[in-house]
Amino acid sequence: MLEEVERWLADRSWSAADRPLDQLLDLKRAAGTTVSVVLPALDEEATVGAIVEVVRRELIEGLPVPLVDELVVIDSGSADRTAEVAAKAGARVVHRDEILPRIPALPGKGEVLWRSLLATSGDVVCFVDADLRDFSASFVSGIVGPLLTDPGVQFVKAMYDRPLGDAPGQGGRVTELVARPLLNLHWPQLAGFVQPLGGEYAVRRSLLERLPFPVGYGVELGLLVDALHTVGLDALAQVDVGVRLHRHQDGQALGRMAAAIYRTAQVRLSRGHLVRPELTQFERGPEGFVPRTYPVDTEERPPMLDVEEYGRRRVA
């Protein structure tokens, strides 16, 4: 590991317990910083309501100063009751297609995160996946904390254990097989991130609005790499929030995720052209293995500062 990374691990890796909530509230009141929490959601009726309830109960209601000023669920086309459950629990629910309708929406998580910048106004934007179980408010307060206490920090990722069933530490298969090797080989300054693909991170809006967003599964790796090049390693940090329990993808879905992440890395390495931006996987059918070919996410959205509607809102 680079000496720079060893130093960064000592200086920029914390525990959620290092910053008590009352300290964060005092600093938030003094600075006037506003915080938006965004949950991108697709068919998450089983879990999204509980997450919203915890954030409202512990980080908004009953506090002298709410830590969270805005709680928004961006529904990306759910076929279940995700929107209804989230609204009933107290979130503001916005459908992906209602945001920036001039540009037709593409499928993908990164698309939702990109559009969320137009649906929120906080100085700090905190993203939380909507499929978490046994959710703790420290997932939010932990990663928002460094942005309230240290003006030099701009991007904070959560780190945590990811069990797979009863096996501790066996989750995050795409991280270990794809993302971590890519980062260690090509961006060794990022080798200290425990969960580089984790969906829980808080970022200053002033940085997010300057970054391009891969529309699909590559968004987490893309934002992390681009943030490194934009503001440098010392502006990045991570916070230990304990254990992350969530719904796991099957092997083929992980393959599609891995291909999108590889593509995102390739674009950043060379801005080159893929001969065939597709991934073929195999499923066993009645007469043997059947190939299924899926497109690999290759689209990226530009920095939000380049979008006309966002610029008009800033002027207003």
Side-chain angles (χ1 to χ4, degrees), residues 57-312:
R57 182 177 65 248
E58 300 188 27
L59 301 179
I60 299 177
E61 299 170 349
L63 297 177
V65 178
L67 184 69
V68 173
D69 301 279
E70 192 174 34
L71 176 55
V72 182
V73 171
I74 310 290
D75 184 3
S76 57
S78 299
D80 66 1
R81 297 172 56 249
T82 291
E84 178 185 344
V85 170
K88 185 176 180 180
R92 176 163 64 91
V93 179
V94 183
H95 194 282
R96 173 199 63 195
D97 296 346
E98 298 172 358
I99 307 168
L100 200 58
R102 173 177 64 85
I103 301 176
L106 294 169
K109 178 184 179 183
E111 178 82 357
V112 175
L113 301 185
W114 180 70
R115 289 174 186 263
S116 76
L117 296 183
L118 262 171
T120 58
S121 59
D123 303 314
V124 170
V125 182
C126 176
F127 297 121
V128 176
D129 281 349
D131 66 343
L132 302 187
R133 295 183 285 111
D134 296 337
F135 177 76
S136 166
S138 63
F139 270 72
V140 173
S141 60
I143 58 178
V144 167
L147 298 168
L148 298 177
T149 61
D150 189 335
V153 174
Q154 299 202 42
F155 188 120
V156 183
K157 293 211 70 143
M159 57 177 167
Y160 34 67
D161 295 316
R162 293 186 66 181
L164 180 62
D166 295 329
Q170 295 303 306
R173 291 160 287 173
V174 176
T175 293
E176 299 304 329
L177 296 174
V178 181
R180 200 175 307 285
L182 282 171
L183 293 176
N184 276 264
L185 291 170
H186 299 296
W187 295 281
Q189 286 179 297
L190 298 176
F193 277 92
V194 176
Q195 297 292 351
L197 299 185
E200 291 69 47
Y201 45 105
V203 193
R204 297 193 193 278
R205 177 177 293 270
S206 57
L207 172 59
L208 275 179
E209 64 188 11
R210 297 158 60 194
L211 302 179
F213 278 63
V215 301
Y217 285 126
V219 64
E220 270 81 31
L221 183 134
L223 289 177
L224 188 60
V225 169
D226 291 343
L228 172 69
H229 290 308
T230 303
V231 295
L233 182 60
D234 282 342
L236 314 181
Q238 60 185 349
V239 173
D240 188 348
V241 297
V243 178
R244 185 185 197 268
L245 300 175
H246 67 114
R247 171 175 46 80
H248 291 282
Q249 304 271 12
D250 63 34
Q252 295 207 333
L254 294 178
R256 297 191 289 275
M257 185 184 301
I261 290 164
Y262 178 83
R263 165 61 177 172
T264 300
Q266 186 207 40
V267 167
R268 277 148 184 80
L269 285 169
S270 65
R271 297 292 165 180
H273 173 67
L274 274 185
V275 175
R276 184 175 179 271
E278 296 176 331
L279 174 71
T280 298
Q281 298 176 315
F282 294 88
E283 300 175 4
R284 182 181 289 279
E287 299 181 4
F289 286 101
V290 179
R292 309 285 187 198
T293 299
Y294 302 88
V296 173
D297 296 318
T298 59
E299 296 291 335
E300 297 199 5
R301 293 306 192 187
M304 190 56 81
L305 279 177
D306 296 341
V307 175
E308 180 182 347
E309 287 87 343
Y310 192 79
R312 286 202 302 266

